Amino acid sequence: MTTFLPEQIETLRQLSDLWPDTPFVLIGANALALQMDFQWRQTNDLDFVISIALEDYPAGLATLPGWQRRREGEHAWLSPTGVKVDIVPAGPGLLAAGSLTWPESGYRMNLLGLRLAFDHHVRIAIDDRHYVEVATSSRPLRLRSCLHQMVADGVGVVLSNRGDCPCAVDNHLSWIQMTAGMAS
């Protein structure tokens, strides 16, 4: 199992201080690595889902000293310690709608399964004052063969509509971000 790097710990402290009363959950490869042997997949980035409306995004993050948006999309940030951080807003209204459309890019992101990250997580202490909620996966990872169908028991994917998936589905999905919580 993986532990957090020092630069990730400082990033987590900053987010915990910024959003003390707003639910946010670590998802993605680091969430999985904290719970199972994931040594084959090294990652420094942190992926979060936060319970806010799209209109409230980025929920004060842009006002923190040293935080910068990355070119990869509206969800993509760089912390002052150099950690890549992806943050997806998923408040109750967005979860009920099942998707969001980013205002600048127009990309549509499927939020199916993210509710489970809020419902099924564990609290991990960062230090005596800070903690992070981490989405849990209680079943072995099982992936299907096509990217638009990539789901797992207890672990899922966030997909956005960039239109370049070669699969013939009505929601052509290409951007994939592992997240805990979607059952197949």
Side-chain angles (χ1 to χ4, degrees):
M1 294 209 288
T2 300
T3 57
F4 293 114
L5 301 171
E7 59 271 21
Q8 292 173 321
I9 290 172
E10 182 55 32
T11 298
L12 291 167
R13 285 182 183 133
Q14 290 179 14
L15 295 177
S16 181
D17 287 342
L18 178 63
W19 302 320
D21 300 317
T22 303
F24 69 101
V25 181
L26 179 69
I27 58 176
N30 266 308
L32 290 171
L34 289 167
Q35 300 168 64
M36 60 182 68
D37 182 14
F38 221 53
Q39 293 177 5
W40 58 271
R41 170 73 160 86
Q42 298 296 318
T43 183
N44 185 36
D45 69 329
L46 298 171
D47 305 310
F48 293 96
V49 59
I50 181 170
S51 184
I52 59 170
L54 185 58
E55 299 79 34
D56 297 328
Y57 184 81
L61 191 58
T63 64
L64 288 181
W67 280 82
Q68 303 170 14
R69 287 246 331 252
R70 298 187 344 251
R71 287 184 277 187
E72 291 88 343
E74 290 132 296
H75 66 283
W77 293 84
L78 186 66
S79 79
T81 60
V83 176
K84 292 180 179 180
V85 180
D86 292 339
I87 302 170
V88 177
L94 290 168
L95 291 174
S99 67
L100 68 83
T101 301
W102 290 103
E104 292 176 23
S105 64
Y107 290 149
R108 183 174 173 271
M109 186 176 285
N110 185 334
L111 302 178
L112 184 65
L114 288 181
R115 177 177 285 119
L116 294 173
F118 290 110
D119 293 345
H120 303 283
H121 57 269
V122 294
R123 180 174 286 190
I124 295 180
I126 303 303
D127 58 30
D128 60 345
R129 289 186 335 112
H130 300 91
Y131 62 88
V132 63
E133 306 291 356
V134 179
T136 59
S137 172
S138 60
R139 299 180 189 153
L141 186 63
R142 177 173 56 86
L143 301 178
R144 294 185 183 160
S145 61
C146 187
L147 294 182
H148 76 274
Q149 293 180 334
M150 186 181 272
V151 294
D153 291 335
V155 178
V157 294
V158 173
L159 304 161
S160 71
N161 183 1
R162 287 198 178 163
D164 56 357
C165 178
C167 305
V169 294
D170 56 71
N171 208 10
H172 298 287
L173 305 167
S174 63
W175 184 81
I176 299 176
Q177 177 59 55
M178 293 300 295
T179 65
M182 181 196 294
S184 60

